[in-house]
Amino acid sequence: QDLKELFDVYEAPESIEKHRGEPVSAGYSLARTKVHSQGLWHRAVHVWLYQPDGRVVIQRRAQGKDTFPGLWDCSAAGHVTSGDTVLETVLKEVQEELGLAITASDLEPLGTIATSVSDSSPVQGEFTCNEYKSLFLLKFSGDVSELNFDPAEVEAVEARAIIELAAQLRTQSPQDKPRIDGPFVPRPAHYLSVLLPALEAKFP
């Protein structure tokens, strides 16, 4: 991660919980660390790998990450840097974080939602992460041992049964209640309402 990399800044959504679709550009860019410290809206991508046997690949974020170090998260994720597209970012992050070369046709887009969360970390200090997240599913028929992850970004990867994962995520982010600290990066209920039904539908 480069704390000086530039992020395009976007207007805040009218409703965080209800927002779906493309954000409106604010017309300027700022360095990553300033965007996070000032709570400015920016873009990110999340990719969730699912396996035919009913498991989902998750990663533990490296301890040196500027936000949520050491917590479990989606299979691959990254910010959209200034000038890049969402698709370019997805392909790059899956390659960099997991060592997988994929194409656009491999991806199953779930849409773009808005989320807001505040926390602190040793690298960033206090931050508010206001993001427009574009979510994707990606079928992965291999074994997690085949994944070549970047230790600067990812501490570990594992495959977890979708039933177990869904229960853990819902427990940590209960509907209409404050989030509960736990082993996962906090995801709001409206994020899970998009992600989990899509994943669960893969394993009826």
Side-chain angles (χ1 to χ4, degrees):
Q1 68 191 10
D2 178 2
L3 298 182
K4 296 181 180 179
E5 66 182 341
L6 293 179
F7 292 166
D8 291 334
V9 177
Y10 294 84
E11 301 289 348
E14 292 185 7
S15 168
I16 293 176
E17 292 79 11
K18 295 179 181 180
H19 178 86
R20 300 292 185 274
E22 289 297 298
V24 177
S25 174
Y28 66 99
S29 305
L30 277 179
R32 175 189 187 119
T33 185
K34 291 184 178 180
V35 167
H36 283 152
S37 64
Q38 296 177 28
L40 299 174
W41 285 87
H42 55 291
R43 300 199 70 159
V45 300
H46 283 193
V47 184
W48 292 83
L49 274 63
Y50 65 92
Q51 297 178 290
D53 63 359
R55 295 186 297 168
V56 178
V57 177
I58 57 175
Q59 63 155 274
R60 175 174 282 176
R61 293 167 63 83
Q63 296 295 332
K65 296 291 288 183
D66 57 338
T67 59
F68 305 110
L71 295 187
W72 289 97
D73 201 2
C74 56
S75 314
H79 291 96
V80 180
T81 54
S82 182
D84 286 350
T85 67
V86 166
L87 179 57
E88 288 170 340
T89 303
V90 171
L91 301 181
K92 178 181 69 175
E93 294 298 337
V94 171
Q95 175 71 57
E96 289 182 353
E97 294 192 358
L98 301 175
L100 292 177
I102 64 171
T103 65
S105 62
D106 297 321
L107 296 164
E108 302 173 44
L110 301 182
T112 299
I113 65 172
T115 66
S116 177
V117 62
S118 297
D119 213 307
S120 64
S121 71
V123 174
Q124 176 66 44
E126 298 289 331
F127 66 86
T128 297
C129 199
N130 287 330
E131 288 183 342
Y132 291 102
K133 292 183 171 73
S134 295
L135 277 57
F136 297 87
L137 300 185
L138 175 64
K139 186 176 181 179
F140 175 60
S141 298
D143 188 84
V144 292
S145 63
E146 302 169 18
L147 297 175
N148 183 24
F149 59 88
D150 179 359
E153 299 283 343
V154 179
E155 187 174 287
V157 295
E158 69 174 50
R160 196 167 295 187
I162 179 58
I163 296 176
E164 178 187 355
L165 176 64
Q168 292 171 328
L169 290 173
R170 287 180 171 127
T171 296
Q172 195 172 317
S173 299
Q175 185 80 37
D176 300 324
K177 295 181 180 179
R179 86 179 201 227
I180 299 170
D181 287 338
F184 288 90
V185 174
R187 302 297 176 204
H190 68 275
Y191 178 110
L192 300 183
S193 72
V194 173
L195 171 69
L196 295 181
L199 279 173
E200 291 165 337
K202 299 296 181 182
F203 316 108

